[in-house]
Amino acid sequence: MAGERTIVVTGCSSGIGAHCARALKADGWRVFATVRKPEDLPGLETHGIEAFLMDYARTETISDLVGAVLERSGGRIDALFNNGAYGQPGAVEDLSTATLRAQFEANFFGWHELTRQVIPPMRKRGEGRIVQCSSILGVVPYRYRGAYTASKFAVEGLSITLRMELQGSGIHVSLIEPGPIATRFTANALAKIKEHIDLENSPHAADYIRQLARLDGSGPVNRHKLGPEAVLKHALNSNNPRPHYPVTTPAKQGMFLKRLLPADLFYRLMRWTD
């Protein structure tokens, strides 16, 4: 890609998005980063990053973002890193349809809208990279993460279909499937489970005690958890980017065991994984 490369990175208030935005800027990219709250803009702007407000659940903010980026860049978007998301914990039977729909608005439909809007300028240039920060839970299901798992399974299916449809266009689509990463993700998930799940009156009340301990940090520490830098640079610089990039040991093990084991044995094994 000749000239200054441009990339849109979403979910940059903290964690993976914030780290990748700053690191890509240092690596010579022109970074257009998004956050949902005005108070998160200065932390990016002080690093020379062009920051915007965007909410996946509000289509008008997506259109405003793309319009502003195209105006500033002279119509050029080389890459998109869809990253902004949240996890809604809770047993499937405890999830209201409204809660599940909100999860999909933020984690799936908004991603689709932004992706559709950046493809035309990429097609015009005949090249581009679309990198989706999925999750190992988009490949391997996990108890009490049904809403998040469903949204990531949807991202996986739609993205691989898009990858096949874009073959020959010069636009490459890849998925990153992180396992445990040290971010504010679990803290946000803790707030969501308390907001939307009736913890005390659920038939899963006893299990929720353990789930809350995992989310608030009082439970066992995951020794495989990596920092957000583990996600950086996958698929952006490769001449032949792969469709899948599992990140962290648990993610790689999960994908391997799913391929290796009979389905019934694998899902029984996952039933007792905590």
Side-chain angles (χ1 to χ4, degrees):
M1 298 179 183
E4 186 180 34
R5 299 170 298 174
T6 64
I7 184 169
V8 175
V9 183
T10 69
C12 296
S13 60
S14 64
I16 292 172
H19 177 86
C20 289
R22 295 185 177 103
L24 288 166
K25 173 66 177 177
D27 199 34
W29 287 79
R30 184 177 183 184
V31 179
F32 300 100
T34 77
V35 295
R36 290 189 305 111
K37 300 176 181 178
E39 57 266 31
D40 292 328
L41 293 170
L44 295 165
E45 293 169 338
T46 56
H47 287 81
I49 295 168
E50 296 168 75
F52 300 85
L53 293 174
M54 191 207 75
D55 187 336
Y56 276 128
R58 296 172 56 205
T59 303
E60 68 277 10
T61 68
I62 297 173
S63 298
D64 290 345
L65 166 71
V66 174
V69 170
L70 291 174
E71 182 178 358
R72 292 194 187 189
S73 68
R76 178 172 182 170
I77 299 178
D78 293 308
L80 167 65
F81 181 33
N82 270 315
N83 165 72
Y86 74 91
Q88 171 62 64
V92 172
E93 65 184 292
D94 290 336
L95 294 168
S96 70
T97 302
T99 299
L100 185 60
R101 185 175 289 116
Q103 178 80 105
F104 267 73
E105 287 291 344
N107 290 16
F108 180 70
F109 293 119
W111 287 36
H112 176 57
E113 182 62 33
L114 178 55
T115 301
R116 286 188 66 248
Q117 292 196 31
V118 303
I119 288 177
M122 289 182 178
R123 277 194 177 276
K124 188 174 182 179
R125 288 181 53 82
E127 58 184 352
R129 301 292 171 93
I130 298 169
V131 181
Q132 312 281 52
C133 192
S134 180
S135 168
I136 184 55
L137 297 189
V139 182
V140 174
Y142 196 75
R143 291 183 305 150
Y144 305 114
R145 300 294 186 275
Y148 184 74
T149 294
S151 71
K152 292 302 185 181
F153 265 67
V155 164
E156 292 273 331
L158 199 70
S159 298
I160 291 302
T161 302
L162 178 63
R163 177 186 171 93
M164 293 188 293
E165 293 168 350
L166 290 175
Q167 186 173 357
S169 69
I171 305 171
H172 302 278
V173 181
S174 295
L175 291 143
I176 300 176
E177 289 107 351
I181 300 290
T183 68
R184 280 191 350 214
F185 189 85
T186 53
N188 294 334
L190 179 63
K192 289 295 183 182
I193 193 173
K194 290 181 176 180
E195 179 181 0
H196 295 296
I197 303 297
D198 185 353
L199 298 170
E200 295 182 0
N201 296 311
S202 167
H204 300 274
D207 286 305
Y208 282 146
I209 294 174
R210 185 171 62 256
Q211 294 300 313
L212 290 173
R214 289 173 60 87
L215 295 172
D216 67 15
S218 62
V221 175
N222 191 324
R223 60 188 177 89
H224 295 293
K225 184 175 288 189
L226 299 179
E229 67 277 1
V231 176
L232 185 63
K233 294 185 179 179
H234 285 287
L236 283 177
N237 296 318
S238 171
N239 290 327
N240 188 27
R242 304 197 305 267
H244 301 281
Y245 290 87
V247 178
T248 73
T249 297
K252 294 174 182 178
Q253 290 175 339
M255 294 182 77
F256 174 73
L257 290 174
K258 187 176 183 181
R259 291 194 301 265
L260 179 68
L261 298 177
D264 182 61
L265 176 59
F266 176 74
Y267 293 129
R268 278 191 284 130
L269 175 66
M270 290 304 300
R271 167 67 178 83
W272 297 108
T273 300
D274 228 356

